[in-house]
Amino acid sequence: NAGVTQTPKFQVLKTGQSMTLQCAQDMNHNSMYWYRQDPGMGLRLIYYSASEGTTDKGEVPNGYNVSRLNKREFSLRLESAAPSQTSVYFCASMRQGVTISNQPQHFGDGTRLSIL
Amino acid sequence: EDQVTQSPEALRLQEGESSSLNCSYTVSGLRGLFWYRQDPGKGPEFLFTLYSAGEEKEKERLKATLTKKESFLHITAPKPEDSATYLCAVQAIWETGSARQLTFGSGTQLTVLP
């Protein structure tokens, strides 16, 4: 049972380059999330998708875009990477809709992204 | 604005030395408080959800408690394998009653020495 799978695990980019972080879950969850984790700070929500076909901004959406490709997959795109986007990115999923549930979120093991 | 503060930032214990981690929160209406464990290089792993003041949950050497302002994660007779970062998160509710997104604390890094 894979749970939440993120690819790639590591990536180094140059300023201005673009890339897409991939996330897939096999738990038939409705909601999916992208967070970033920086030293000394809690996980901060970038974007989320409460259900297939919907996406919404979180706390720190600037510089990012997302696509909910289908129920399983939720990708995060950096169009023009900046050094401030150096971070560890986590994808998470949750079974029920965010507005009606306090189910726990299940996390992938992250993508470590460095931007030079 | 929802706020979550965890203390201490780091804690070193000898094996068998019990202690507690603190999670203080400020929210307008609490839907749930979550505890996660995070190992180096891994994503957070769910431990507990607490819903109302006075509630307690246990798992092996861990016990989580909740009051109206804070939660404690008590670790009894810890072992080196309990070494990890422990994260606390709260889910609040809007005035309409629908749930907001999780707000995470910055975590407590626990090291248990053999």
Side-chain angles (χ1 to χ4, degrees):
Chain A
N1 188 2
V4 179
T5 302
Q6 294 184 236
T7 56
K9 295 187 184 304
F10 302 93
Q11 185 71 48
V12 179
L13 294 177
K14 294 182 179 179
T15 297
Q17 287 185 317
S18 62
M19 81 161 294
T20 300
L21 281 62
Q22 306 287 352
C23 174
Q25 52 92 8
D26 62 2
M27 295 174 284
N28 200 33
H29 285 175
N30 290 313
S31 299
M32 297 186 74
Y33 306 81
W34 276 105
Y35 291 90
R36 61 178 289 173
Q37 187 176 41
D38 301 293
M41 304 185 74
L43 287 155
R44 292 184 292 168
L45 184 64
I46 305 171
Y47 270 93
Y48 67 99
S49 172
S51 60
E52 187 178 356
T54 69
T55 60
D56 284 288
K57 296 179 180 179
E59 179 186 354
V60 289
N62 291 344
Y64 305 95
N65 285 302
V66 291
S67 295
R68 184 73 183 266
L69 304 172
N70 48 56
K71 191 172 185 179
R72 291 186 62 248
E73 299 173 289
F74 189 38
S75 63
L76 178 72
R77 182 162 178 84
L78 286 71
E79 290 291 352
S80 178
S84 61
Q85 293 177 306
T86 293
S87 188
V88 182
Y89 291 85
F90 288 99
C91 177
S93 69
M94 186 172 73
R95 184 175 60 169
Q96 293 178 315
V98 63
T99 59
I100 63 171
S101 170
N102 50 15
Q103 294 287 313
Q105 294 181 12
H106 299 265
F107 287 81
D109 283 339
T111 294
R112 283 141 189 86
L113 181 61
S114 293
I115 300 166
L116 308 177
Chain B
E1 181 181 340
D2 304 335
Q3 291 189 339
V4 179
T5 303
Q6 291 189 246
S7 62
E9 291 184 10
L11 181 63
R12 291 166 66 92
L13 299 174
Q14 290 294 134
E15 184 172 2
E17 180 186 1
S18 301
S19 188
S20 297
L21 313 182
N22 178 263
C23 172
S24 298
Y25 63 90
T26 304
V27 297
S28 57
L30 183 68
R31 169 68 76 82
L33 185 141
F34 301 81
W35 281 99
Y36 285 85
R37 169 190 171 128
Q38 186 175 21
D39 293 303
K42 299 291 187 180
E45 177 186 348
F46 171 71
L47 292 173
F48 305 110
T49 308
L50 302 168
Y51 300 108
S52 58
E55 188 175 3
E56 299 182 353
K57 289 200 175 169
E58 290 189 63
K59 180 180 180 180
E60 296 181 357
R61 294 175 293 281
L62 301 177
K63 183 169 82 172
T65 62
L66 181 66
T67 72
K68 289 185 178 181
K69 294 183 177 181
E70 57 192 349
S71 177
F72 291 94
L73 185 64
H74 306 279
I75 303 176
T76 301
K79 298 181 178 182
E81 53 261 44
D82 294 322
S83 297
T85 296
Y86 291 85
L87 302 174
C88 167
V90 297
Q91 184 177 40
I93 54 176
W94 296 104
E95 292 78 6
T96 57
S98 61
R100 295 208 284 267
Q101 300 304 323
L102 294 184
T103 299
F104 281 84
S106 56
T108 293
Q109 185 175 4
L110 175 66
T111 303
V112 182
L113 303 172

